[in-house]
Amino acid sequence: MSSSPMNSPPHHEMSFIDADNIPFGRNRHVSGRRRSHARLQEEILRVQPDVKKVFLLVRAADTSAAEERVLNEVVGNELFGTLREKYGSSFHSFTKEKISPLAGDIIDENLGLESPKILELSEEIDIIVNGAATTNFYERYDVALASNVLGTKYVCKFANKCPNLKMFLHVSTAYVAREQQGLLLEKPFRIGEMLKQGCHLDIDAELKLVDSIKAELMQSSGNSEQLEKTTMKKLGLKRARHFGWPNTYVFTKAMGEMLVGQFRGDLPVVVVRPSMVSSIYHEPLPGWIEGTRTIDSIIAAYAKQAIPCFIGHGDIILDVIPGDMVVNAMVVAMAIHWSEKGQVVIHVTSSRQNPLSISTAYGIMHRYFSTNPQMGNNGRVIKAKRLLLFKKFGSFRTYMFLKYKLPSEMLHMVNSLLGGSFSRYYNKFNRSYSYFILLAKLYAPYCFFNARFNDTNLERLQTATTRDKSDAHVFDFDPKSIDWDYYFYNIHIPGVLMYAKKK
């Protein structure tokens, strides 16, 4: 499934886990993550094969469809190669015994499940991991509210019905912090919390606003799906920026965190906030990634030399964290904070302990493609040119207009005089221009993000694993251990080219 910010579909996956024991020699339990359900489930079954049951909620019409989706997208994933090799002919029986697909949807108040099933699950579950989200920066506002906000509320309400629940783990993003400076702390959101003066965020009012606008659209233009889609996308960005967030994704994830705080009651809660999640560093499959995400869109475009320039200050730090480190941190967090009262926020980030600058990342990218040039559709080698970097968005826009938009409009004029002979070329250039301008707008807050994330709670988890060297090896999530040059050149960029193209 594609995870590009421009076109990723929403996923409504959640893991319920009832485990018998966990590493560190304790009778504790483990669990799952947003858009990384395959990676999480693989790790659970690989490092904790005695887990009793993993209930995986997926969007599907019925149980049969849910089983098929899990078989294709989770168990059938190449990530499970190590487990396939280990269990051989018993692999499918092993995974079928451990993973129980549930046909449902978190955007439904009862998770799309029948009352008897809800009751049965509530009695069995030890841990709930809410990893459901749409991660599209430019998502429709109504879709993002349903998945990232209302979905979180419904899962919290279900969690409060589980008498044996030892932990509710909610996966968010470090960028809910908004565009601030300095060191950003690991602290929970309060309902309606704002930085912007004169603004008051009322989640119920936002939901009513969406319903009202959709009703007006229906009255004025009938059932125009394209108009509704465009209007909802623009509304999401508008409301996010009004309240001080850069895009619809992080805005609705922040609201989701607020509702976790409001509805958690006495539940033990851990909120995991990864930064920009990249490909797997070590296990089980180095370089594996689900489609293109954040900086990977730039890498994929640069590989084809389809992007001549971009935005960002060379000294700005890109907070990137490999996906396996995120999952490892989650598993350890569930062990360490098992049945603890209160709420803990954990930044799974790299900017404080092992900063990576934009200039360093772009330099590695240029060196990689200079040494390993790609082939164009015409069979010719694509020569890698250095990416022109603009420190101000206005300068970037002016350059793009003069070099691409203006010639494109001149072609449009000539095309009109010649009866449309160049329509195909004009449309192609115009779409490319619009795409990269939008891409720059969406990524500008990250390319100029002048803050770092405090990760004290992550360091505490690291301390727990270093007590046992075997645990430290299996559950490596120490950002200081990342060799950025080696990782990007030998693992991440090849991974983007190999796995992202499959999606």
Side-chain angles (χ1 to χ4, degrees):
M1 295 177 293
S2 170
S3 56
S4 165
M6 301 302 299
N7 58 17
S8 65
H11 305 314
H12 304 298
E13 267 83 29
M14 179 177 58
S15 297
F16 303 87
I17 296 188
D18 180 11
D20 288 328
N21 54 18
I22 199 170
F24 312 108
R26 305 177 185 179
N27 292 325
R28 294 187 176 177
H29 315 225
V30 286
S31 100
R33 160 176 164 69
R34 173 198 71 220
R35 282 188 359 195
S36 308
H37 44 92
R39 189 164 58 226
L40 177 67
Q41 309 307 332
E42 188 278 337
E43 175 152 331
I44 292 169
L45 298 183
R46 175 165 47 85
V47 304
Q48 190 62 26
D50 293 330
V51 62
K52 184 177 178 181
K53 184 70 72 174
V54 177
F55 296 98
L56 182 60
L57 184 71
V58 296
R59 291 178 67 195
D62 51 34
T63 301
S64 177
E67 290 176 349
E68 182 178 357
R69 187 175 175 196
V70 169
L71 180 63
N72 292 333
E73 298 179 16
V74 181
V75 178
N77 196 290
E78 56 259 69
L79 283 179
F80 281 71
T82 300
L83 284 170
R84 285 192 196 91
E85 184 176 340
K86 176 180 178 180
Y87 289 96
S89 60
S90 301
F91 171 72
H92 284 292
S93 60
F94 170 72
T95 55
K96 191 169 184 178
E97 175 192 352
K98 298 297 182 181
I99 300 178
S100 180
L102 300 171
D105 199 329
I106 64 162
I107 66 173
D108 295 330
E109 191 156 3
N110 289 319
L111 309 182
L113 302 173
E114 298 294 333
S115 296
K117 192 64 178 179
I118 287 281
L119 181 60
E120 176 190 341
L121 288 170
S122 66
E123 295 291 337
E124 291 189 46
I125 293 168
D126 295 316
I127 300 175
I128 293 178
V129 178
N130 180 29
T134 171
T135 57
N136 188 340
F137 289 178
Y138 191 39
E139 184 58 272
R140 291 175 54 136
Y141 196 30
D142 54 343
V143 171
L145 283 171
S147 180
N148 299 352
V149 183
L150 285 179
T152 299
K153 174 182 175 180
Y154 297 151
V155 178
C156 279
K157 286 191 170 184
F158 170 74
N160 278 289
K161 297 176 182 177
C162 302
N164 302 314
L165 196 72
K166 303 301 189 295
M167 178 176 294
F168 178 82
L169 191 150
H170 177 73
V171 184
S172 185
T173 170
Y175 291 98
V176 293
R178 294 156 288 190
E179 298 172 66
Q180 301 186 60
Q181 295 186 355
L183 192 64
L184 307 181
L185 303 179
E186 297 166 298
K187 65 175 186 177
F189 267 108
R190 298 187 305 273
I191 191 73
E193 181 178 339
M194 297 295 303
L195 282 178
K196 199 170 181 180
Q197 295 294 325
C199 287
H200 172 68
L201 175 57
D202 183 328
I203 295 175
D204 287 335
E206 294 302 300
L207 293 167
K208 290 176 182 177
L209 174 65
V210 164
D211 289 341
S212 173
I213 290 177
K214 289 174 75 172
E216 290 177 5
L217 287 173
M218 181 64 73
Q219 290 180 353
S220 62
S221 59
N223 189 21
S224 174
E225 292 185 6
Q226 185 57 46
L227 178 60
E228 182 180 280
K229 178 181 177 180
T230 303
T231 302
M232 285 294 108
K233 283 191 168 190
K234 290 181 177 179
L235 179 64
L237 279 180
K238 180 180 179 181
R239 299 305 289 171
R241 290 168 178 170
H242 171 74
F243 288 109
W245 279 271
N247 57 57
T248 308
Y249 165 55
V250 295
F251 177 40
T252 51
K253 289 300 287 184
M255 284 193 274
E257 278 200 37
M258 293 175 191
L259 293 184
V260 169
Q262 182 180 6
F263 290 102
R264 72 177 184 84
D266 294 326
L267 293 175
V269 171
V270 172
V271 176
V272 173
R273 293 178 182 164
S275 52
M276 288 185 265
V277 182
S278 56
S279 63
I280 290 176
Y281 193 12
H282 294 301
E283 292 183 315
L285 191 58
W288 185 88
I289 191 170
E290 287 184 292
T292 53
R293 58 178 83 204
T294 53
I295 59 171
D296 304 332
S297 298
I298 307 302
I299 293 173
Y302 182 77
K304 302 173 185 177
Q305 291 295 289
I307 180 170
C309 59
F310 208 60
I311 55 172
H313 195 292
D315 294 333
I316 291 293
I317 301 303
L318 286 175
D319 201 307
V320 178
I321 194 77
D324 52 330
M325 290 192 170
V326 177
V327 172
N328 289 341
M330 290 169 60
V331 172
V332 174
M334 285 181 275
I336 300 303
H337 296 290
W338 175 261
S339 204
E340 284 186 358
K341 297 297 181 183
Q343 181 174 345
V344 178
V345 175
I346 302 172
H347 283 155
V348 187
T349 54
S350 62
S351 57
R352 188 177 73 87
Q353 296 192 57
N354 190 4
L356 168 70
S357 70
I358 286 180
S359 60
T360 297
Y362 282 180
I364 298 170
M365 184 172 68
H366 176 260
R367 180 159 50 88
Y368 179 87
F369 288 110
S370 295
T371 307
N372 305 277
Q374 303 299 291
M375 299 292 290
N377 294 331
N378 57 6
R380 296 180 181 178
V381 172
I382 302 174
K383 184 178 179 181
K385 300 177 182 178
R386 285 197 175 275
L387 191 66
L388 185 59
L389 203 60
F390 287 92
K391 296 181 180 180
K392 293 182 179 179
F393 183 81
S395 301
F396 168 79
R397 181 192 283 275
T398 300
Y399 176 86
M400 290 293 289
F401 177 82
L402 293 176
K403 191 168 181 65
Y404 297 97
K405 184 64 173 177
L406 187 58
S408 175
E409 291 304 316
M410 293 175 66
L411 178 62
H412 182 52
M413 293 172 58
V414 173
N415 182 56
S416 299
L417 294 174
L418 296 179
S421 302
F422 298 102
S423 294
R424 184 164 61 92
Y425 298 103
Y426 167 75
N427 292 334
K428 178 182 177 181
F429 293 146
N430 201 46
R431 281 196 304 270
S432 296
Y433 169 82
S434 299
Y435 173 79
F436 285 117
I437 288 293
L438 178 59
L439 197 68
K441 283 182 179 179
L442 294 175
Y443 286 174
Y446 303 90
C447 295
F448 299 117
F449 190 78
N450 197 21
R452 302 191 189 190
F453 297 102
N454 178 280
D455 55 359
T456 301
N457 289 334
L458 185 70
E459 287 188 300
R460 288 172 180 157
L461 294 185
Q462 292 166 9
T463 301
T465 62
T466 54
R467 294 170 189 161
D468 187 322
K469 291 184 179 180
S470 62
D471 287 336
H473 172 71
V474 173
F475 300 106
D476 177 26
F477 53 90
D478 182 0
K480 295 191 299 296
S481 70
I482 305 171
D483 180 334
W484 289 120
D485 191 281
Y486 177 85
Y487 170 66
F488 266 84
Y489 192 92
N490 295 287
I491 298 174
H492 185 64
I493 295 176
V496 170
L497 298 177
M498 179 180 295
Y499 295 106
K501 288 181 178 179
K502 295 181 181 181
K503 308 301 177 182

